[in-house]
Amino acid sequence: RLKAEGALTCDGLLEQANDYLERFDLVGIAEETEATMLLVADLLGLQALPISGQLNRNPHRKRPPDSEAYKAMERLNECSIRVYDHWRGRFARVVDAQGASFQHRLQHLRALLRSRPSKAVAKYATINATPKQEAEGIPVQSPGA
């Protein structure tokens, strides 16, 4: 039952969400689509993740955090925000733990997506580069690194 019905507290919701999400090898974050993609590619040993166009872009104007509507949404979604903040922090720690090689490949992927938004292909920043990619100086993760 929902918190609004008095059956679940924010702490209870956070505990349930954490228990459920702990079952997954990776919980990605929407704002970190590129890092999530790269982590998934590495977890699965994929050589390519083809993607085209902009990732996670919202052309709509955002409400300023100091607006009344924004404050009301925060109050109504306090529990969800706590769950999200917890997992966003955990995701950041996972990304940081990947080391310099991952960060370099992530920077390269982001630069590629910015420079060729309609033709970008994620394979240029994943593991097991092709000879052509190696010739172009594409960063490669060593197996087991």
Side-chain angles (χ1 to χ4, degrees), residues 18 33 59 74 85 87 98 104 113 119 139:
N18 288 343
T33 303
E74 276 188 329
D85 286 346
W87 285 91
Q98 301 306 304
H104 183 69
L113 290 171
K119 298 180 182 178

Side-chain angles (χ1 to χ4, degrees), residues 71-100:
K71 290 176 186 174
M73 288 170 41
E74 276 188 329
R75 282 191 303 275
L76 293 170
N77 292 289
E78 173 195 357
C79 298
S80 296
I81 291 169
R82 285 178 59 192
V83 170
Y84 180 78
D85 286 346
H86 172 80
W87 285 91
R88 183 177 55 182
R90 184 174 173 145
F91 182 82
R93 290 187 296 278
V94 167
V95 170
D96 288 346
Q98 301 306 304

Side-chain angles (χ1 to χ4, degrees), residues 56-64:
N56 197 32
R57 302 293 185 250
N58 184 351
H60 305 292
R61 196 172 125 215
K62 296 179 181 174
R63 295 185 192 278

